[in-house]
Amino acid sequence: MEALKSSFATSRCSLIFFGLLLLFASAMSSSQAKTHLHDFVIQATPVKRLCKTHNIITVNGQYPGPTLEVNNGDTLIVKVTNKARYNATIHWHGIRQMRTGWADGPEFVTQCPIRPGGSYTYRFTIQGQEGTLWWHAHSSWLRATVYGALIIRPKEGDSYPFTKPKRETPLLLGEWWNAKPMDVVREATRTGASPNVSDAYTINGQPGDLYNCSSKDTVIVPIDSGDTNLLRVINAALNQELFFTVANHKLTVVGADASYTKPFTTTVIMLGPGQTTDVLISGDQPPARYYAAARAYASAPGAPFDNTTTTAILEYKSAPCAAKNCASSKPVMPSLPAFNDTPTVTAFSKSFRSPRKVEVPTVIDENLFFTVGLGLNKCPKHFRARRCQGPNGTRFTASMNNESFVLPSNISILQAYEQGIPGVFTTDFPANPPRKFDYTGNVSRSLWQPVPGTKGYKLKYGSRVQVVLQGTNIFTPENHPIHLHGYDFYIIAEGFGNFNPKTDTPKFNLVDPPLRNTAAVPVNGWAVIRFVADNPGAWLMHCHLDVHIGWGLAMVFLVDNGVGELQSIEPPPVDLPLC
């Protein structure tokens, strides 16, 4: 009996010791997490590109804006002061914002805009995310120049799931207009036509050697023989999907949208606006200078696009000219895919896998089918012809399930949802298209004009959701980068033509599909995504071609609170901007 008591006492002490050890480890883990304080001042700044100086909107006078570097588990507190002449908000693209939807940023969805002269402090914690994200304005077309990288490294003491690279280089792909982007979108809104395309693409704000007045500021990416550089590539372009490659070098993809991937090697990557891709590049070529280049993937037949190429230079430190003047040494130029090379895009997109088996929802509570595409509105009777300069005297529009999304103007959807304020939105966004049709075939003109409205779709907390995103051939087909705020999702399948549940469901990857926040829905095709609605709030889903969101290619998920504080959205901050 005494031996039994002694054994019990020993095991009890062991349990207490183990419990204390766990508490200590937890305390150590939380003590390692840091809080980062930043001040963002949105302001007009003179910037010269393509031989001309424009007053563009920047953060802290920088273009692109500041790079934020944090670790998984850290907290960001960013005070944003608006000294520009336009309304503004900042969206932290890809951050889950668990219970902190008030910090998500889309104008009139989760907050009213920060008015000129006003300020708002965004507060949120990064939870379980590592890799490359970015931040950008989410008010009209301000994000053309208001954006920057958001790099999330592993927790202190943790490591990458690949050999640590010698260097890391963020490369933000952007667009430049020889005009004020806000004037470009306002003119398009006035005329109903498609907006003017950009005059240049940029890498880290610089167009590169192939444009006028640009070569002296071309971005240099250093590398040395035998070294590995992690390129964090971000498509921050407003309206253009982009190919990216580096002459004579292979790219090993190791992450996308702040989720690790099963590594695969390619010579070219394609990113839709909003998407990020982490690639490893090795210094395994003869020491020299090599162009890194980006140009358009333009999938809409006949639609105008900026057909120029932006470049940076991958420069070996041991290149023969490195110690002297390299200007006379012309870098090696890569070959880029044709602007309409959809097979290359498809092969690249289908290469993505999660590093290991993942828990994909298999029992589905909400089975949704959303059409995504363009449309044309008939010219209103009271409009003059110059207000209807779309095809055949129409005005361009866009929709999901024939609903063209209209933002509120007096209060945000999240405020109205949380406070029960009526008349701001309705909850009858259709789970399926109001009418079934041959989505990618010859679509009847009667379906080209969608219905405007502010409609959301309600989800119970914890519901398991599948969404089929079906592209349409209304006016023209196009690859649409669809972004969901507040969530990552698994892309379990994609294909061309009309989604067929009988023949396409067996193709679902329920083992190791990639985890993304933006899905490039194939031109005249479809993609299927799944997620669990575990984050209460109002979450925008939209096309990340900004011209399309302005035309109405968006909807909002309204996710109920669950049980208790940890399954409920936090109260709104006291400094939430007023409308």
Side-chain angles (χ1 to χ4, degrees), residues 322-340:
K324 307 169 193 171
N325 179 15
C326 274
S328 58
S329 162
K330 195 167 176 61
V332 180
M333 190 70 191
S335 62
L336 279 150
F339 69 87
N340 57 356

Side-chain angles (χ1 to χ4, degrees), residues 351-368:
S351 298
F352 282 90
R353 294 280 187 277
S354 284
R356 60 193 65 83
K357 189 178 188 304
V358 291
E359 290 186 25
V360 186
T362 51
V363 178
I364 299 300
D365 304 304
E366 296 280 357
N367 203 340
L368 309 176

Side-chain angles (χ1 to χ4, degrees), residues 300-304 476:
T476 187

Side-chain angles (χ1 to χ4, degrees), residues 29-36 70-76 124-130 152-156:
S29 173
S30 60
S31 70
Q32 287 175 348
K34 300 184 183 73
T35 298
H36 303 261
V70 298
N71 293 87
N72 182 5
D74 287 357
T75 295
L76 271 166
F124 55 91
T125 299
I126 290 94
Q127 299 180 47
Q129 294 182 282
E130 294 177 15
I152 308 170
R153 294 197 171 85
K155 289 182 178 179
E156 296 283 349

Side-chain angles (χ1 to χ4, degrees), residues 23-57:
L23 278 171
F24 178 73
S26 173
M28 284 296 290
S29 173
S30 60
S31 70
Q32 287 175 348
K34 300 184 183 73
T35 298
H36 303 261
L37 306 176
H38 294 275
D39 283 300
F40 276 16
V41 177
I42 300 174
Q43 62 191 59
T45 304
V47 171
K48 187 175 184 180
R49 296 289 185 277
L50 308 183
C51 318
K52 296 178 183 176
T53 300
H54 291 278
N55 252 353
I56 68 167
I57 307 303

Side-chain angles (χ1 to χ4, degrees), residues 87-122:
N87 291 339
T89 65
I90 299 292
H91 169 53
W92 315 92
H93 185 111
I95 295 291
R96 284 291 318 268
Q97 298 290 2
M98 298 299 292
R99 302 180 54 236
T100 52
W102 305 104
D104 190 43
E107 180 180 65
F108 292 116
V109 178
T110 60
Q111 68 169 97
C112 294
I114 307 168
R115 305 288 184 187
S119 66
Y120 177 47
T121 300
Y122 295 87

